[in-house]
Amino acid sequence: MSLAFHNSQAGPQTHIFIIGIGEYPHLAGGRDAMEQGDTQLATMGQLTSPPVTALKLYEKFKEFHDRKMWITPLGSIRMLVSAPPAVHVPADLSSGPPTMENIRTHFRDWFEACDTHEDNVAIFYFCGHGLEKGDHFLLASDFNDYPADPWDKMFSFDQTRSGFHGCKASTQLFFDDSCRIMTDQMRDYRFSVPGLRTPSDRNGECLYDMTIKSAAKNRAAHGRKMNPSHFAAALISGMSGQCASRNENQEWVIETNLLGSAIKDIMRSNPATASTPVQCPCMLGNSKAILKLSAAPEIPLTVSCLPDTALAHAAFACSDGRGVVADRMVPENIPWRIALKPGAYTLAASFSNRDYTNSAIDTLVIPPFKNEKIKCQ
Amino acid sequence: MPINIRRNASHIRVTLQAWHTDSSQVPVQLTLYSAETEVIASRWIRTGESFVFDKLGEGRYVVQLKLPSGLVMNQLKDLDDEDEQDIMFDLHEISPYETSEWSYLLANDQPFEPGAAVRSIPVELRVWQKYDRDWLEDSYPNLPRNITVDQNGEFLQFRTGERMAMLEVSGNGQAPKYVSLPLDQEIRLALQLNTGPDAERYPVKVTVASTSWKAEAILALLKTSGTRQARQMMGGKGGETAEMMLLEKRQNPTEAAIGAYYILKTRDYDRLHNWANNLANYFPWMPDGAIIHAWQMISQPGDRFDRDRIISRLTEAFDRGLPLYAEGLRLLYEGMMWLVRNIGPGEEYIAMLDSVREMTALVDWEQSLTTLNMPLPDPERVGPPLMKITAPVYGGDVADTVT
């Protein structure tokens, strides 16, 4: 079975399964669109963001491999991606259309790869249409091929997650990036939708678990057309360094437990996603470092003034113990945004306008980001 | 170590000033960083205490104070050779009132910002206690029925009884919230204006804590950071401390439940002994004990697995009603799925699973104590939902929706 990435070695490895569904042939706008009586289902159509999300995640995960960042070496990336014509998916990356049958088959293979060693790291990412009644249902690309009863071409994320606890891999990360909406007609159905893996009788939970849903109950997931979803963008920023912390050897690492809170913080700091409540576990367990950075990450720093009116007149400088590392000498009426290595800095605002006072503050720039306001009056 | 630091006699003395005795009981983390953010030393202390970072060399240092809520304060110091510097963190600055400091230590990860726009919201408070399978309205001394919450918030103290109880926060057309209350405890309640993404539906944020401050700090850390931070806070003896909390269950069953959840998270099952069983037996009105015992039997390797006993514990937990903690509700849901899988899709068990599922649709997973966010004001409703409700439906967002 062809994989997007394959690097089988002895010992523990990281195995990734990405599903990004943009083309739904039997939904509105699809090449074999079927009429749907459920008016809300009838409005669900083709998506550009999920395949772009899947491709971007692949690119980043591969880049982490090329830069030797995976602490548990990357063993495989499986991808099932479909896209409307506007999005190009390289033929060698996707192992076929993400139909229910293909998803089930590839999930089994991924499970078995992860089940080979208890120190393996398993990562699952789904981006596509989602529905929810009781469980969260993720829609395969052949959803609605039989409009009178379209529900057999979807699977339960929650059952799937529970079932995967039975896998030997002690580190399991599940990212569910889809809407959690119930349509009107779903209220008339009593669903019994299975997951991709039946939970075993003696399933405890895995030792290192991070399961995050990009949307709260009854809420939608978001992304701009032809761009990665907001959730994926935050995840990528976090894994690339914005949720880094130092381990006992002072190395910069990405830990499972910090991913959830960093993603929330990153999304809250973005006006486009500030109102999107990401769902993380209510009680966090053990944490495991999965990536190691070769150098300190770049951390976004935003500097503005108090009062806001001072901003239009402020020249800024940022210095560390050795001297000025960045400045903006020509005032602009927007906050000053720079990226800095983590560390202690002094931020100074100076004015030619006598309405405001030259001021300086000390700050510690650490992940995920820093926002500072300098009092100038 | 960074090259600009030479070890000699310089030191930084750090003092933490809190204004309320509650705050002084909550452990907080002090970390000394180099200017390049390398960790030089880290220590958990209580507010009101001071600590000296000694044997430091010339250079720039950052002292970080991290509260269990996740709120962080930093101060920079430049040290010369054989220098002595003092740093004081004044926790009074983070809170509008002395009596509200605890909520910033345990729950609010942003400091209070004076000067926020003035607005006030009338709120109705009702207490519901569990009698068999019904919620009946009750009252506590010192807990008013009506109160107005402004930008400074309102902070109340009262004592709960031995029964499972929920606090309803509603009024003024807002959708009600129901928050579990720890049993037989001195309670601190914070009502503050909600500035989060769901502020329109729930304009008032509710924070509840018992005065078991160490247990509350463990809960806060499990929510924000996970077991490692909690273990560090307990001086590296997380398992022993949690074990003691569970051992002393007769004195404080809610603290015992927190200890047991910590042990389940760390999978240090031997520390549960037979005490989870006792917790379930001694406090038959508290669902958490039965849930914890069921999960001990499911998860602990060895001969504890007892299929019939697991089934009886899970059904018992369901009969007892909503767990005190959200983690308990999550484990009850997982347990109900286990039940349906193991004893077949009987109507009774499927109905139980469905009921728990409906509760998970209402619960606010951001909170440690079980907190139900009702979707809409409902004048017909009398008291918190029982384990048999119809799933609420309300529209999702429409703009910019992709999936």
Side-chain angles (χ1 to χ4, degrees), chain A residues 92-118:
Chain A
D92 56 337
L93 287 187
S94 180
S95 304
T99 58
M100 196 61 240
E101 189 183 341
N102 274 347
I103 289 173
R104 190 168 283 119
T105 304
H106 285 263
F107 183 89
R108 284 175 187 161
D109 292 340
W110 174 64
F111 186 102
E112 282 173 19
C114 297
D115 202 39
T116 54
H117 199 292
E118 65 181 20

PDB file of all heavy atoms in Angstrom, chain A residues 92-118:
ATOM      1  N   ASP A  92       1.048  11.265  -5.746  1.00  0.00           N
ATOM      2  CA  ASP A  92       1.794  10.310  -4.929  1.00  0.00           C
ATOM      3  C   ASP A  92       1.571  10.510  -3.431  1.00  0.00           C
ATOM      4  O   ASP A  92       2.079   9.747  -2.623  1.00  0.00           O
ATOM      5  CB  ASP A  92       3.290  10.404  -5.245  1.00  0.00           C
ATOM      6  CG  ASP A  92       3.828  11.813  -5.049  1.00  0.00           C
ATOM      7  OD1 ASP A  92       3.016  12.770  -5.106  1.00  0.00           O
ATOM      8  OD2 ASP A  92       5.042  11.958  -4.824  1.00  0.00           O
ATOM      9  N   LEU A  93       0.821  11.531  -3.052  1.00  0.00           N
ATOM     10  CA  LEU A  93       0.640  11.777  -1.619  1.00  0.00           C
ATOM     11  C   LEU A  93      -0.581  11.072  -1.042  1.00  0.00           C
ATOM     12  O   LEU A  93      -0.558  10.589   0.082  1.00  0.00           O
ATOM     13  CB  LEU A  93       0.531  13.280  -1.335  1.00  0.00           C
ATOM     14  CG  LEU A  93       1.834  14.067  -1.465  1.00  0.00           C
ATOM     15  CD1 LEU A  93       1.629  15.504  -0.991  1.00  0.00           C
ATOM     16  CD2 LEU A  93       2.958  13.420  -0.653  1.00  0.00           C
ATOM     17  N   SER A  94      -1.662  11.032  -1.803  1.00  0.00           N
ATOM     18  CA  SER A  94      -2.864  10.426  -1.268  1.00  0.00           C
ATOM     19  C   SER A  94      -2.978   8.980  -1.731  1.00  0.00           C
ATOM     20  O   SER A  94      -2.754   8.672  -2.894  1.00  0.00           O
ATOM     21  CB  SER A  94      -4.106  11.203  -1.706  1.00  0.00           C
ATOM     22  OG  SER A  94      -5.270  10.595  -1.181  1.00  0.00           O
ATOM     23  N   SER A  95      -3.331   8.109  -0.780  1.00  0.00           N
ATOM     24  CA  SER A  95      -3.457   6.685  -1.112  1.00  0.00           C
ATOM     25  C   SER A  95      -4.814   6.356  -1.696  1.00  0.00           C
ATOM     26  O   SER A  95      -5.242   5.213  -1.636  1.00  0.00           O
ATOM     27  CB  SER A  95      -3.229   5.846   0.146  1.00  0.00           C
ATOM     28  OG  SER A  95      -1.991   6.141   0.712  1.00  0.00           O
ATOM     29  N   GLY A  96      -5.511   7.335  -2.186  1.00  0.00           N
ATOM     30  CA  GLY A  96      -6.821   7.094  -2.785  1.00  0.00           C
ATOM     31  C   GLY A  96      -7.847   8.035  -2.209  1.00  0.00           C
ATOM     32  O   GLY A  96      -7.544   8.824  -1.304  1.00  0.00           O
ATOM     33  N   PRO A  97      -9.070   7.973  -2.715  1.00  0.00           N
ATOM     34  CA  PRO A  97     -10.116   8.851  -2.190  1.00  0.00           C
ATOM     35  C   PRO A  97     -10.496   8.431  -0.770  1.00  0.00           C
ATOM     36  O   PRO A  97     -10.488   7.232  -0.457  1.00  0.00           O
ATOM     37  CB  PRO A  97     -11.279   8.648  -3.163  1.00  0.00           C
ATOM     38  CG  PRO A  97     -11.042   7.305  -3.774  1.00  0.00           C
ATOM     39  CD  PRO A  97      -9.564   7.106  -3.810  1.00  0.00           C
ATOM     40  N   PRO A  98     -10.826   9.389   0.093  1.00  0.00           N
ATOM     41  CA  PRO A  98     -11.147   9.051   1.491  1.00  0.00           C
ATOM     42  C   PRO A  98     -12.578   8.548   1.649  1.00  0.00           C
ATOM     43  O   PRO A  98     -13.384   9.109   2.386  1.00  0.00           O
ATOM     44  CB  PRO A  98     -10.924  10.379   2.228  1.00  0.00           C
ATOM     45  CG  PRO A  98     -10.963  11.438   1.194  1.00  0.00           C
ATOM     46  CD  PRO A  98     -10.720  10.838  -0.141  1.00  0.00           C
ATOM     47  N   THR A  99     -12.877   7.479   0.922  1.00  0.00           N
ATOM     48  CA  THR A  99     -14.190   6.843   1.075  1.00  0.00           C
ATOM     49  C   THR A  99     -14.211   6.092   2.403  1.00  0.00           C
ATOM     50  O   THR A  99     -13.160   5.839   3.004  1.00  0.00           O
ATOM     51  CB  THR A  99     -14.434   5.842  -0.057  1.00  0.00           C
ATOM     52  OG1 THR A  99     -13.371   4.866  -0.011  1.00  0.00           O
ATOM     53  CG2 THR A  99     -14.438   6.519  -1.417  1.00  0.00           C
ATOM     54  N   MET A 100     -15.405   5.692   2.798  1.00  0.00           N
ATOM     55  CA  MET A 100     -15.521   4.977   4.083  1.00  0.00           C
ATOM     56  C   MET A 100     -14.665   3.722   4.076  1.00  0.00           C
ATOM     57  O   MET A 100     -13.969   3.422   5.052  1.00  0.00           O
ATOM     58  CB  MET A 100     -17.000   4.632   4.310  1.00  0.00           C
ATOM     59  CG  MET A 100     -17.355   4.256   5.722  1.00  0.00           C
ATOM     60  SD  MET A 100     -17.050   5.570   6.899  1.00  0.00           S
ATOM     61  CE  MET A 100     -15.886   4.773   7.955  1.00  0.00           C
ATOM     62  N   GLU A 101     -14.706   3.004   2.941  1.00  0.00           N
ATOM     63  CA  GLU A 101     -13.946   1.756   2.861  1.00  0.00           C
ATOM     64  C   GLU A 101     -12.443   2.021   2.946  1.00  0.00           C
ATOM     65  O   GLU A 101     -11.716   1.332   3.665  1.00  0.00           O
ATOM     66  CB  GLU A 101     -14.288   1.041   1.553  1.00  0.00           C
ATOM     67  CG  GLU A 101     -13.717  -0.351   1.490  1.00  0.00           C
ATOM     68  CD  GLU A 101     -14.018  -1.026   0.147  1.00  0.00           C
ATOM     69  OE1 GLU A 101     -14.947  -0.562  -0.554  1.00  0.00           O
ATOM     70  OE2 GLU A 101     -13.307  -1.983  -0.193  1.00  0.00           O
ATOM     71  N   ASN A 102     -11.990   3.027   2.214  1.00  0.00           N
ATOM     72  CA  ASN A 102     -10.551   3.348   2.250  1.00  0.00           C
ATOM     73  C   ASN A 102     -10.118   3.823   3.632  1.00  0.00           C
ATOM     74  O   ASN A 102      -9.031   3.485   4.110  1.00  0.00           O
ATOM     75  CB  ASN A 102     -10.228   4.438   1.222  1.00  0.00           C
ATOM     76  CG  ASN A 102      -9.951   3.851  -0.144  1.00  0.00           C
ATOM     77  OD1 ASN A 102      -9.759   2.648  -0.270  1.00  0.00           O
ATOM     78  ND2 ASN A 102      -9.965   4.689  -1.168  1.00  0.00           N
ATOM     79  N   ILE A 103     -10.950   4.634   4.253  1.00  0.00           N
ATOM     80  CA  ILE A 103     -10.592   5.126   5.595  1.00  0.00           C
ATOM     81  C   ILE A 103     -10.439   3.948   6.544  1.00  0.00           C
ATOM     82  O   ILE A 103      -9.469   3.849   7.300  1.00  0.00           O
ATOM     83  CB  ILE A 103     -11.661   6.116   6.118  1.00  0.00           C
ATOM     84  CG1 ILE A 103     -11.597   7.442   5.334  1.00  0.00           C
ATOM     85  CG2 ILE A 103     -11.463   6.392   7.612  1.00  0.00           C
ATOM     86  CD1 ILE A 103     -12.712   8.423   5.656  1.00  0.00           C
ATOM     87  N   ARG A 104     -11.390   3.012   6.468  1.00  0.00           N
ATOM     88  CA  ARG A 104     -11.350   1.866   7.375  1.00  0.00           C
ATOM     89  C   ARG A 104     -10.090   1.021   7.123  1.00  0.00           C
ATOM     90  O   ARG A 104      -9.384   0.647   8.056  1.00  0.00           O
ATOM     91  CB  ARG A 104     -12.623   1.029   7.200  1.00  0.00           C
ATOM     92  CG  ARG A 104     -12.786  -0.042   8.251  1.00  0.00           C
ATOM     93  CD  ARG A 104     -14.166  -0.665   8.250  1.00  0.00           C
ATOM     94  NE  ARG A 104     -15.150   0.210   8.874  1.00  0.00           N
ATOM     95  CZ  ARG A 104     -16.224   0.709   8.269  1.00  0.00           C
ATOM     96  NH1 ARG A 104     -16.447   0.436   6.999  1.00  0.00           N
ATOM     97  NH2 ARG A 104     -17.054   1.477   8.911  1.00  0.00           N
ATOM     98  N   THR A 105      -9.810   0.775   5.848  1.00  0.00           N
ATOM     99  CA  THR A 105      -8.641  -0.043   5.500  1.00  0.00           C
ATOM    100  C   THR A 105      -7.348   0.614   5.974  1.00  0.00           C
ATOM    101  O   THR A 105      -6.490  -0.029   6.583  1.00  0.00           O
ATOM    102  CB  THR A 105      -8.579  -0.236   3.968  1.00  0.00           C
ATOM    103  OG1 THR A 105      -9.813  -0.804   3.562  1.00  0.00           O
ATOM    104  CG2 THR A 105      -7.432  -1.123   3.569  1.00  0.00           C
ATOM    105  N   HIS A 106      -7.211   1.899   5.701  1.00  0.00           N
ATOM    106  CA  HIS A 106      -5.960   2.588   6.051  1.00  0.00           C
ATOM    107  C   HIS A 106      -5.836   2.781   7.560  1.00  0.00           C
ATOM    108  O   HIS A 106      -4.726   2.780   8.095  1.00  0.00           O
ATOM    109  CB  HIS A 106      -5.859   3.923   5.311  1.00  0.00           C
ATOM    110  CG  HIS A 106      -5.507   3.740   3.876  1.00  0.00           C
ATOM    111  ND1 HIS A 106      -4.216   3.843   3.402  1.00  0.00           N
ATOM    112  CD2 HIS A 106      -6.270   3.400   2.808  1.00  0.00           C
ATOM    113  CE1 HIS A 106      -4.193   3.586   2.107  1.00  0.00           C
ATOM    114  NE2 HIS A 106      -5.441   3.319   1.718  1.00  0.00           N
ATOM    115  N   PHE A 107      -6.971   2.941   8.218  1.00  0.00           N
ATOM    116  CA  PHE A 107      -6.928   3.052   9.673  1.00  0.00           C
ATOM    117  C   PHE A 107      -6.374   1.762  10.282  1.00  0.00           C
ATOM    118  O   PHE A 107      -5.558   1.795  11.209  1.00  0.00           O
ATOM    119  CB  PHE A 107      -8.329   3.354  10.227  1.00  0.00           C
ATOM    120  CG  PHE A 107      -8.354   3.553  11.718  1.00  0.00           C
ATOM    121  CD1 PHE A 107      -8.154   4.819  12.263  1.00  0.00           C
ATOM    122  CD2 PHE A 107      -8.554   2.491  12.582  1.00  0.00           C
ATOM    123  CE1 PHE A 107      -8.164   5.006  13.646  1.00  0.00           C
ATOM    124  CE2 PHE A 107      -8.561   2.663  13.956  1.00  0.00           C
ATOM    125  CZ  PHE A 107      -8.368   3.931  14.491  1.00  0.00           C
ATOM    126  N   ARG A 108      -6.848   0.620   9.744  1.00  0.00           N
ATOM    127  CA  ARG A 108      -6.360  -0.660  10.273  1.00  0.00           C
ATOM    128  C   ARG A 108      -4.848  -0.777  10.093  1.00  0.00           C
ATOM    129  O   ARG A 108      -4.139  -1.204  11.009  1.00  0.00           O
ATOM    130  CB  ARG A 108      -7.040  -1.823   9.537  1.00  0.00           C
ATOM    131  CG  ARG A 108      -8.464  -2.036   9.985  1.00  0.00           C
ATOM    132  CD  ARG A 108      -9.132  -3.095   9.152  1.00  0.00           C
ATOM    133  NE  ARG A 108     -10.543  -3.180   9.482  1.00  0.00           N
ATOM    134  CZ  ARG A 108     -11.465  -3.737   8.713  1.00  0.00           C
ATOM    135  NH1 ARG A 108     -11.115  -4.267   7.554  1.00  0.00           N
ATOM    136  NH2 ARG A 108     -12.715  -3.768   9.092  1.00  0.00           N
ATOM    137  N   ASP A 109      -4.369  -0.388   8.920  1.00  0.00           N
ATOM    138  CA  ASP A 109      -2.928  -0.468   8.670  1.00  0.00           C
ATOM    139  C   ASP A 109      -2.157   0.458   9.610  1.00  0.00           C
ATOM    140  O   ASP A 109      -1.092   0.108  10.121  1.00  0.00           O
ATOM    141  CB  ASP A 109      -2.619  -0.082   7.214  1.00  0.00           C
ATOM    142  CG  ASP A 109      -3.157  -1.119   6.251  1.00  0.00           C
ATOM    143  OD1 ASP A 109      -3.405  -2.261   6.693  1.00  0.00           O
ATOM    144  OD2 ASP A 109      -3.343  -0.783   5.063  1.00  0.00           O
ATOM    145  N   TRP A 110      -2.711   1.645   9.790  1.00  0.00           N
ATOM    146  CA  TRP A 110      -2.055   2.613  10.691  1.00  0.00           C
ATOM    147  C   TRP A 110      -2.043   2.075  12.117  1.00  0.00           C
ATOM    148  O   TRP A 110      -1.028   2.150  12.803  1.00  0.00           O
ATOM    149  CB  TRP A 110      -2.802   3.945  10.597  1.00  0.00           C
ATOM    150  CG  TRP A 110      -2.339   4.989  11.560  1.00  0.00           C
ATOM    151  CD1 TRP A 110      -1.113   5.573  11.605  1.00  0.00           C
ATOM    152  CD2 TRP A 110      -3.114   5.577  12.623  1.00  0.00           C
ATOM    153  NE1 TRP A 110      -1.066   6.490  12.633  1.00  0.00           N
ATOM    154  CE2 TRP A 110      -2.287   6.513  13.266  1.00  0.00           C
ATOM    155  CE3 TRP A 110      -4.417   5.418  13.072  1.00  0.00           C
ATOM    156  CZ2 TRP A 110      -2.724   7.281  14.336  1.00  0.00           C
ATOM    157  CZ3 TRP A 110      -4.860   6.180  14.136  1.00  0.00           C
ATOM    158  CH2 TRP A 110      -4.016   7.095  14.763  1.00  0.00           C
ATOM    159  N   PHE A 111      -3.177   1.520  12.553  1.00  0.00           N
ATOM    160  CA  PHE A 111      -3.255   0.949  13.897  1.00  0.00           C
ATOM    161  C   PHE A 111      -2.161  -0.107  14.072  1.00  0.00           C
ATOM    162  O   PHE A 111      -1.441  -0.123  15.083  1.00  0.00           O
ATOM    163  CB  PHE A 111      -4.637   0.321  14.139  1.00  0.00           C
ATOM    164  CG  PHE A 111      -4.866  -0.168  15.552  1.00  0.00           C
ATOM    165  CD1 PHE A 111      -5.617   0.569  16.460  1.00  0.00           C
ATOM    166  CD2 PHE A 111      -4.326  -1.386  15.986  1.00  0.00           C
ATOM    167  CE1 PHE A 111      -5.824   0.119  17.761  1.00  0.00           C
ATOM    168  CE2 PHE A 111      -4.523  -1.839  17.289  1.00  0.00           C
ATOM    169  CZ  PHE A 111      -5.279  -1.080  18.170  1.00  0.00           C
ATOM    170  N   GLU A 112      -2.033  -0.983  13.096  1.00  0.00           N
ATOM    171  CA  GLU A 112      -1.055  -2.064  13.206  1.00  0.00           C
ATOM    172  C   GLU A 112       0.364  -1.530  13.246  1.00  0.00           C
ATOM    173  O   GLU A 112       1.214  -2.030  13.988  1.00  0.00           O
ATOM    174  CB  GLU A 112      -1.240  -3.059  12.064  1.00  0.00           C
ATOM    175  CG  GLU A 112      -2.430  -3.975  12.336  1.00  0.00           C
ATOM    176  CD  GLU A 112      -2.781  -4.868  11.166  1.00  0.00           C
ATOM    177  OE1 GLU A 112      -1.916  -5.057  10.287  1.00  0.00           O
ATOM    178  OE2 GLU A 112      -3.932  -5.358  11.142  1.00  0.00           O
ATOM    179  N   ALA A 113       0.628  -0.490  12.451  1.00  0.00           N
ATOM    180  CA  ALA A 113       1.970   0.114  12.487  1.00  0.00           C
ATOM    181  C   ALA A 113       2.242   0.698  13.873  1.00  0.00           C
ATOM    182  O   ALA A 113       3.331   0.532  14.437  1.00  0.00           O
ATOM    183  CB  ALA A 113       2.079   1.205  11.418  1.00  0.00           C
ATOM    184  N   CYS A 114       1.255   1.357  14.434  1.00  0.00           N
ATOM    185  CA  CYS A 114       1.427   1.973  15.762  1.00  0.00           C
ATOM    186  C   CYS A 114       1.543   0.919  16.848  1.00  0.00           C
ATOM    187  O   CYS A 114       2.165   1.141  17.887  1.00  0.00           O
ATOM    188  CB  CYS A 114       0.238   2.894  16.080  1.00  0.00           C
ATOM    189  SG  CYS A 114       0.090   4.293  14.962  1.00  0.00           S
ATOM    190  N   ASP A 115       0.940  -0.229  16.609  1.00  0.00           N
ATOM    191  CA  ASP A 115       0.849  -1.275  17.631  1.00  0.00           C
ATOM    192  C   ASP A 115       2.126  -2.113  17.737  1.00  0.00           C
ATOM    193  O   ASP A 115       2.173  -3.061  18.510  1.00  0.00           O
ATOM    194  CB  ASP A 115      -0.349  -2.187  17.289  1.00  0.00           C
ATOM    195  CG  ASP A 115      -0.869  -2.938  18.503  1.00  0.00           C
ATOM    196  OD1 ASP A 115      -0.917  -2.338  19.591  1.00  0.00           O
ATOM    197  OD2 ASP A 115      -1.232  -4.115  18.371  1.00  0.00           O
ATOM    198  N   THR A 116       3.142  -1.744  16.982  1.00  0.00           N
ATOM    199  CA  THR A 116       4.347  -2.584  16.966  1.00  0.00           C
ATOM    200  C   THR A 116       5.277  -2.311  18.136  1.00  0.00           C
ATOM    201  O   THR A 116       6.191  -3.091  18.399  1.00  0.00           O
ATOM    202  CB  THR A 116       5.147  -2.367  15.664  1.00  0.00           C
ATOM    203  OG1 THR A 116       5.400  -0.957  15.538  1.00  0.00           O
ATOM    204  CG2 THR A 116       4.391  -2.870  14.456  1.00  0.00           C
ATOM    205  N   HIS A 117       5.114  -1.176  18.817  1.00  0.00           N
ATOM    206  CA  HIS A 117       6.059  -0.832  19.890  1.00  0.00           C
ATOM    207  C   HIS A 117       5.367   0.083  20.885  1.00  0.00           C
ATOM    208  O   HIS A 117       4.660   1.006  20.491  1.00  0.00           O
ATOM    209  CB  HIS A 117       7.280  -0.120  19.288  1.00  0.00           C
ATOM    210  CG  HIS A 117       8.471  -0.128  20.194  1.00  0.00           C
ATOM    211  ND1 HIS A 117       8.521   0.575  21.375  1.00  0.00           N
ATOM    212  CD2 HIS A 117       9.667  -0.772  20.081  1.00  0.00           C
ATOM    213  CE1 HIS A 117       9.700   0.378  21.951  1.00  0.00           C
ATOM    214  NE2 HIS A 117      10.405  -0.439  21.193  1.00  0.00           N
ATOM    215  N   GLU A 118       5.584  -0.164  22.167  1.00  0.00           N
ATOM    216  CA  GLU A 118       4.860   0.667  23.145  1.00  0.00           C
ATOM    217  C   GLU A 118       5.376   2.105  23.215  1.00  0.00           C
ATOM    218  O   GLU A 118       4.682   2.990  23.725  1.00  0.00           O
ATOM    219  CB  GLU A 118       4.873   0.015  24.528  1.00  0.00           C
ATOM    220  CG  GLU A 118       6.228  -0.100  25.159  1.00  0.00           C
ATOM    221  CD  GLU A 118       6.144  -0.780  26.530  1.00  0.00           C
ATOM    222  OE1 GLU A 118       5.145  -1.482  26.801  1.00  0.00           O
ATOM    223  OE2 GLU A 118       7.096  -0.603  27.310  1.00  0.00           O
TER     224      GLU A 118
END
